[in-house]
């Protein structure tokens, strides 16, 4: 990942202003420690902090067209840059950077070229011929981007809020799949896939098509000129990423430089579920595995730094970002600069445990659409900023544009959790990789119950955070929270504690408005809480809040304990070999009658 900052229409274009832009850009240096660049044109500034992944020797930014009338600063990777260069043979390329195609595509296609890009990106482009500019963000919002406005009429863009919050009167998160055009004076959506309308699809499920689409998504993300690896938690999603990468690495260009043995990385509290499962997967697929440990106290000590980097006070995001932040530092110390990660699968396939309660396929599909549209505020933000804090780039194959189109075109009836048919969450994905002849993963890993990252690193992690917040926030403080924080009022002591840290770094009203609010159970949207009346009594985003579904669900009462013992101990092999009768009471009846 890189860091970008661009400012247009400054009234003051003195040397002092240039120095200020350099100072603000320096706040993004953690994202790109390899080189710094700045282009000034009258009252326009484009700054860049580079993390060199492709063409480290000559790909410094900003990038230009042949006569340097087009200037672009980019954060991201363009996986189809070689194919795009075939369309741009009339142009002369100065570097081997995958991002240089953006300047030339603009020359040939104007502002309508963005949909041609296959990758993750945020970029700002200046056309010095008429001083017009555009800014765009990738389809899902894998890379972060903010837009702000100064009192002098200037327009600002930055990879992180910290680079523009002090100098802008107002700022907000730049919407994924959108483009800003100075010529049109506004923002419009360039990404218009069929699923975006939330219309119920009807394509029959084809496991071979789904598997091949995912394999392609993983393979194209092996484009790198630096050492890389895979974040492996031992859950389904990261295990599939690692298994596919390990299987096909020898046939990729990356293997010529870095060898054919894949490196995998995992973190957890001593004895956590993830560490055990990840080690088993790594041994099975033959990776060189690196296991890191942290303590609850080490995580608590890092909280302020984590919140400063990830720029949110969302409870779930902070819980999961902290171990990822600690792991990224360890990974970078090994000389690794790029990792593949498993974000996005749960949103696409309804993998969170609360989807057990989806009353019908329409509501199931609409919830997956809502979850994908909100990824840039949650998991994408976490995966990008937690790793970028240490100059590490995270790539997410599940959020490949083509793969999303394939997966979201499947009739959602196939994605529904159907215990009577032996289908647990994400069954369509599990089944697609259930190959007895050339197995990708052990069966019990392939059918392991969903475990949120913040839970899987060790259940005492979340319990420790709650205990710490209990000591820091008094009952009176929480009782008066609505007066102190009238917008997105925290409802728990943990949320109150995080909010206080966030406000210390980002005190402006605009900053707190960049964070979404509303109740959540097991990472649900507020809408999905309506699926079960009991959830409104237990609004915790942990997967263990899915009472009666998660095998280690929170205790609700003595009666709930008894029900959980009887109903929540889901055995993976039961779900493989035949219909399970161990899932929460009422789930089967609701699904069967939907």
């Amino acid at each position: 990942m890189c860091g970008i900052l661009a400012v247009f229409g400054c009234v003051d274009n003195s040397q002092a202003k240039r120095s200020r832009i350099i100072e603000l850009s320096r706040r993004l240096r953690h994202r790109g420690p390899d080189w710094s660049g700045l282009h000034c044109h009258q009252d326009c500034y484009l700054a860049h902090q580079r993390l060199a992944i492709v063409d480290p020797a000559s790909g410094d930014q900003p990038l230009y067209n042949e006569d340097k009338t087009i200037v672009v600063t980019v954060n991201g990777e363009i996986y189809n840059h070689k194919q795009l260069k075939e369309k741009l043979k009339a142009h002369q390329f100065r570097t081997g950077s995958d991002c240089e195609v953006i300047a030339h595509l603009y020359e040939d296609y104007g502002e309508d070229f963005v949909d041609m890009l296959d990758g993750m990106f945020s970029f700002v482009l200046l056309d010095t011929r008429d001083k017009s500019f555009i800014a765009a963000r990738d389809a899902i919002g894998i890379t972060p981007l903010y837009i702000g406005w100064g009192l002098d009429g200037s327009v600002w863009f930055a990879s992180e809020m910290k680079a523009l919050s002090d100098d802008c009167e107002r700022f907000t998160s730049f919407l994924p799949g959108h483009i800003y055009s100075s010529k049109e004076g506004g923002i419009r959506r360039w990404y218009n896939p069929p699923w975006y309308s939330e219309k119920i699809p009807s394509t029959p499920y084809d496991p071979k098509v789904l598997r091949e689409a995912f394999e392609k998504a993983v393979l194209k993300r092996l484009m790198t000129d630096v050492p890389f690896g895979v974040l492996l938690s031992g859950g389904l999603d990261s295990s599939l990423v690692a298994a596919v990468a390990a299987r096909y690495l020898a046939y990729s260009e990356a293997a010529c430089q870095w060898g054919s043995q894949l490196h995998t990385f995992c973190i957890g509290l001593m004895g956590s579920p993830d560490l055990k499962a990840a080690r088993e997967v790594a041994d099975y697929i033959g990776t060189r595995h690196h296991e890191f440990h942290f303590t609850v106290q080490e995580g608590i000590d890092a909280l302020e730094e984590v919140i400063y980097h990830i720029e949110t006070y969302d409870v779930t995001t902070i819980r999961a970002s902290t171990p990822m932040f600690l792991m990224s530092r360890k990974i970078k110390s090994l000389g690794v600069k790029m990792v593949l990660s498993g974000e996005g699968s749960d949103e696409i396939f309804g993998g969170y445990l609360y989807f057990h309660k989806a009353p019908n396929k329409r509501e199931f599909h609409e919830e997956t659409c809502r979850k994908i549209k909100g990824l840039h505020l949650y998991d994408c933000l976490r995966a990008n900023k937690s790793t970028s804090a240490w100059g590490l780039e995270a790539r997410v194959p599940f959020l490949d544009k083509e793969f999303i189109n394939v997966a979201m075109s499947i009739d959602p009836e196939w994605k529904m959790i159907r215990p009577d048919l032996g289908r647990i969450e994400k069954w369509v994905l599990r089944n697609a990789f259930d190959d007895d002849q050339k197995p990708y993963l052990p069966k019990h890993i392939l059918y392991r119950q969903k475990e949120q990252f913040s839970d899987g690193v060790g259940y005492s992690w979340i319990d420790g955070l709650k205990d710490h917040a209990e000591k820091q926030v008094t009952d009176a403080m929480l009782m008066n929270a609505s007066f102190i924080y009238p917008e997105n009022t925290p409802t728990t002591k943990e949320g109150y504690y995080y909010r206080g840290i966030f406000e210390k770094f980002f005190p402006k009203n605009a900053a707190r408005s960049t964070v979404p609010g509303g109740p959540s159970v097991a990472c649900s949207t507020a809408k999905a809480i309506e699926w079960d009346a009991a959830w409104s009594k237990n609004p915790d985003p942990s997967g263990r809040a899915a009472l009666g579904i998660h095998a280690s669900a929170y205790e609700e009462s003595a009666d709930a304990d008894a029900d959980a013992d009887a109903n929540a101990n889901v055995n993976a092999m039961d779900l493989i070999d035949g219909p399970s009768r161990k899932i929460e009471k009422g789930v089967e009846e609701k699904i069967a009658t939907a």
Side-chain angles (χ1 to χ4, degrees):
M1 281 297 110
C2 302
I4 64 174
L5 172 66
V7 189
F8 300 98
C10 296
V11 171
D12 174 16
N13 59 355
S14 64
Q15 179 60 39
K17 188 65 175 182
R18 181 187 177 98
S19 298
R20 177 60 175 167
I21 299 297
I22 292 172
E23 177 188 348
L24 294 173
S25 178
R26 199 177 294 130
R27 296 183 184 180
L28 303 173
R29 185 163 293 174
H30 55 275
R31 298 184 60 87
D34 297 333
W35 194 252
S36 303
L38 175 64
H39 179 91
C40 302
H41 176 74
Q42 298 176 17
D43 58 357
C44 305
Y45 301 84
L46 286 86
H48 191 267
Q49 301 288 343
R50 187 184 186 208
L51 179 67
I53 302 291
V54 175
D55 186 27
S58 67
D60 294 338
Q61 295 195 37
L63 296 163
Y64 305 89
N65 65 339
E66 291 89 340
D67 61 6
K68 293 194 173 184
T69 55
I70 309 298
V71 191
V72 62
T73 181
V74 191
N75 167 35
E77 306 292 342
I78 310 301
Y79 303 122
N80 65 335
H81 70 105
K82 290 183 179 178
Q83 295 93 315
L84 291 172
K85 284 180 180 178
E86 292 298 312
K87 301 176 182 289
L88 300 166
K89 288 186 175 179
H91 292 275
Q92 178 184 353
F93 285 80
R94 298 171 177 271
T95 75
S97 170
D98 52 294
C99 296
E100 191 178 346
V101 294
I102 293 174
H104 301 303
L105 286 169
Y106 172 80
E107 287 185 284
D108 286 8
Y109 297 93
E111 297 181 355
D112 297 325
F113 72 89
V114 183
D115 198 28
M116 299 170 67
L117 302 175
D118 181 9
M120 56 176 185
F121 54 83
S122 295
F123 70 82
V124 182
L125 181 149
L126 170 66
D127 187 339
T128 62
R129 295 170 298 188
D130 57 7
K131 282 183 61 178
S132 63
F133 59 92
I134 60 173
R137 190 176 183 187
D138 65 64
I140 306 300
I142 301 167
T143 60
L145 187 64
Y146 293 84
I147 180 173
W149 296 268
L151 286 174
D152 61 353
S154 56
V155 182
W156 297 59
F157 301 92
S159 295
E160 294 184 5
M161 191 161 56
K162 57 182 65 67
L164 51 69
S165 57
D166 289 345
D167 290 54
C168 289
E169 183 66 16
R170 183 172 176 268
F171 49 90
T172 187
S173 177
F174 193 98
L175 290 171
H178 281 68
I179 179 172
Y180 178 94
S181 168
S182 66
K183 290 178 181 177
E184 296 184 5
I187 189 170
R188 68 180 187 274
R189 183 153 55 89
W190 64 262
Y191 179 56
N192 297 286
W195 65 266
Y196 207 89
S197 67
E198 302 185 11
K199 181 180 178 182
I200 309 303
S202 57
T203 304
Y205 167 55
D206 186 329
K208 184 172 182 288
V209 170
L210 187 66
R211 182 178 68 249
E212 290 179 351
F214 183 66
E215 289 175 334
K216 289 178 183 177
V218 173
L219 281 171
K220 71 174 67 169
R221 281 159 180 78
L222 298 182
M223 177 187 81
T224 178
D225 293 326
V226 298
F228 67 98
V230 175
L231 303 185
L232 177 61
S233 70
L236 173 68
D237 307 329
S238 64
S239 296
L240 284 178
V241 173
V244 172
R247 181 170 291 197
Y248 295 104
L249 177 59
Y251 308 104
S252 70
E253 291 183 12
C256 298
Q257 285 183 284
W258 309 110
S260 58
Q261 186 176 32
L262 186 68
H263 288 255
T264 51
F265 309 94
C266 185
I267 192 168
L269 303 177
M270 198 69 73
S272 70
D274 279 1
L275 291 178
K276 181 172 180 278
R279 171 63 65 183
E280 184 176 1
V281 172
D283 290 344
Y284 187 84
I285 63 178
T287 70
R288 184 171 180 182
H289 191 57
H290 307 265
E291 187 175 288
F292 308 121
H293 305 102
F294 77 106
T295 65
V296 172
Q297 188 58 55
E298 286 172 334
I300 290 172
D301 290 342
L303 281 174
E304 288 209 8
E305 198 173 2
V306 168
I307 292 171
Y308 171 75
H309 277 288
I310 65 174
E311 303 180 322
T312 185
Y313 50 83
D314 177 69
V315 170
T316 313
T317 306
I318 294 167
R319 288 173 174 178
S321 293
T322 305
M324 198 170 194
F325 174 86
L326 296 172
M327 176 171 55
S328 297
R329 187 176 191 180
K330 290 279 191 179
I331 292 172
K332 188 62 184 290
S333 73
L334 297 175
V336 172
K337 296 177 74 172
M338 185 274 282
V339 290
L340 304 187
S341 192
E343 280 75 18
S345 172
D346 291 314
E347 288 74 15
I348 295 168
F349 296 105
Y352 294 109
L353 296 183
Y354 74 88
F355 276 94
H356 279 259
K357 295 282 192 171
N360 53 61
K361 73 176 186 179
R362 174 176 293 278
E363 293 207 35
F364 188 105
H365 180 72
E366 290 175 351
E367 176 71 359
T368 60
C369 293
R370 288 191 292 268
K371 290 294 290 180
I372 296 172
K373 291 175 183 178
L375 268 169
H376 68 290
L377 299 171
Y378 298 103
D379 285 23
C380 287
L381 178 149
R382 166 181 55 78
N384 184 281
K385 292 183 180 178
S386 297
T387 54
S388 293
W390 299 106
L392 181 68
E393 175 173 291
R395 299 180 180 178
V396 282
F398 281 107
L399 296 181
D400 179 83
K401 271 201 307 182
E402 293 179 27
F403 178 75
I404 292 176
N405 286 340
V406 170
M408 292 302 288
S409 70
I410 299 171
D411 187 332
E413 184 67 39
W414 288 95
K415 295 181 182 179
M416 293 281 288
I417 291 97
R418 294 288 302 270
D420 55 319
L421 299 178
R423 296 181 191 167
I424 61 172
E425 64 275 355
K426 293 188 287 193
W427 177 85
V428 292
L429 181 63
R430 301 175 195 270
N431 181 67
F433 285 90
D434 194 348
D435 187 340
D436 290 328
Q437 301 301 315
K438 295 179 64 178
Y440 289 79
L441 295 168
K443 288 275 190 181
H444 63 282
I445 294 291
L446 193 61
Y447 289 89
R448 182 189 180 198
Q449 186 182 52
K450 164 65 185 172
E451 196 78 82
Q452 287 169 215
F453 184 53
S454 53
D455 287 326
V457 296
Y459 296 143
S460 58
W461 167 235
I462 290 178
D463 297 337
L465 288 172
K466 290 182 174 182
D467 290 344
H468 179 69
E470 181 71 31
K471 297 172 184 174
Q472 306 300 315
V473 180
T474 66
D475 293 342
M477 291 165 70
L478 186 60
M479 186 181 301
N480 293 316
S482 61
F483 300 104
I484 304 298
Y485 303 120
E487 182 179 356
N488 278 353
T489 304
T491 57
T492 66
K493 290 187 177 181
E494 187 184 4
Y496 191 105
Y497 179 63
Y498 299 154
R499 182 64 172 271
I501 297 173
F502 176 88
E503 296 270 346
K504 181 171 69 174
F505 293 124
F506 307 105
K508 288 189 175 180
N509 289 333
R512 66 182 67 104
S513 297
T514 63
V515 182
S520 175
V521 166
C523 287
S524 74
T525 65
K527 176 69 175 174
I529 288 182
E530 299 173 6
W531 294 350
D532 192 318
W535 285 347
S536 62
K537 304 172 186 175
N538 190 47
D540 190 288
S542 166
R544 289 186 289 157
L547 298 173
I549 297 174
H550 193 288
S552 298
Y554 293 142
E555 295 180 2
E556 184 178 38
S557 65
D559 291 339
D561 290 345
D563 288 343
D565 289 341
N567 300 315
N569 185 23
V570 182
N571 185 297
M573 295 311 295
D574 288 343
L575 293 168
I576 299 169
D577 298 332
S580 171
R581 286 290 173 263
K582 297 180 181 179
I583 308 240
E584 182 186 14
K585 291 178 180 178
V587 174
E588 295 178 23
E589 290 80 11
K590 284 188 179 183
I591 294 174
T593 57

